[in-house]
Amino acid sequence: MTTTRFPLVLPPLDWRGGALALGLSLGLAAAVHPAEVTEKADDARPATTRAEGRSAAKAETKDDLASRIREGVELNNKSGKKGKGNAGSTYIEVKVPPAPTPRRASGALANPVDVRRGPASRPETSREALAARAAMLAAAVEEQEKPRPEPIMEHHWGYENENGPSTWSRINPDFSTCALGQRQSPIHILSSDVLLGPAEPLQLNYLPTTGSVVNNGHTIQVDLDPASPDTLTVRGSTYRLVQFHFHHPAEEMIDYKGFSMVVHLVHRNEQNQLAVVSVLLDPGPTNAFIDKVWTYMPLDNQDRVAMPPGSLDLNQLLPQDRRYYMFMGSLTTPPCSEDVAWTMFREPIEAAPEQIDRFARLFPLNARPLQ
């Protein structure tokens, strides 16, 4: 409903001019109640004519009605003077009904608001509808409560926080053993907890051979020539030496003592089983074997440098004291495969601090934490 206000200025009252006051009242009545006058006149006409008149009156626009009332107000204002400060003025309120909602043309799209107000939006209260609704809500809750698998990361494994050992199992599904395995390496060996017994002599058949030195982004690794004769025989099985690599600092500990570096010599037998020999390093005099390997050490990732034939004699890498610890463990790098036969010499070898520092500048930390 719209309300339109028009000022009506009344002249000062003059009791001597009764005719003027009466004329003003009649003019005001004609301006304010045109519909009443029209309806009284319509009473004298037939019913059909009166209905047509009402339809014509409803068809008048708001502007036409306001114009007629404005003319009546101006006529009354001309009949007298305004009082001081417009004293005696007043307002006529005209309430105009809202325009009817236009009908939708044939073929037009339905208004979404009108559709929501229609019968289709009424809530269903049947038992079947309520049961279906409850089942849908229960399914939604169950779906949200399902455990979500840890996201698989897309970057390569390493030793830093964002791709370090704690994330290896999430970097690649094939690395799940790094988190779920039961015999993971490296370990901390306490001599008070080991089982003592007659040691089986290690048959290390190392002869001069050759290989290539590669910087694989994780360590410096020496891949032996496939024709290399170097082998390890232990517990009735013979393993061929495949490669050896370095970690800084050493991954293993003995009786709470850590070491500067460690060399892992990886062997494989015909059944594809692995045996690793671990040689610990401490600072000391220059190591001739380490110096020879460092001479061919590539500085860039994925670079490889071939060594001269017969330049590698692994006997130079072994300690004088061949007593060892033996245990079943895993690889210390992804995929962390288990059932690896470990042999770790109790006595470390030595390398010059400069030799250790040269490796540490390339790999400040490439050791997996103790498992």
Side-chain angles (χ1 to χ4, degrees), residues 202 232 234 275-279 324-327 341-345:
L202 294 177
L232 162 68
V234 63
V276 179
V277 174
S278 177
V279 182
Y324 61 86
Y325 300 105
M326 180 172 282
F327 58 92
W342 279 86
T343 301
M344 184 168 68
F345 289 115

Side-chain angles (χ1 to χ4, degrees), residues 319-335:
Q320 295 296 323
D321 186 349
R322 299 291 176 89
R323 290 178 296 174
Y324 61 86
Y325 300 105
M326 180 172 282
F327 58 92
M328 296 300 295
S330 74
L331 296 178
T332 63
T333 59

Side-chain angles (χ1 to χ4, degrees), residues 29-71:
V32 178
H33 304 289
E36 293 181 1
V37 176
T38 303
E39 289 179 359
K40 291 179 181 179
D42 287 344
D43 291 340
R45 291 182 291 174
T48 303
T49 307
R50 290 199 304 271
E52 294 174 355
R54 292 193 192 97
S55 300
K58 290 180 180 179
E60 290 181 345
T61 63
K62 183 175 69 174
D63 293 338
D64 294 338
L65 182 59
S67 176
R68 292 174 55 192
I69 296 175
R70 189 181 296 108
E71 292 177 359

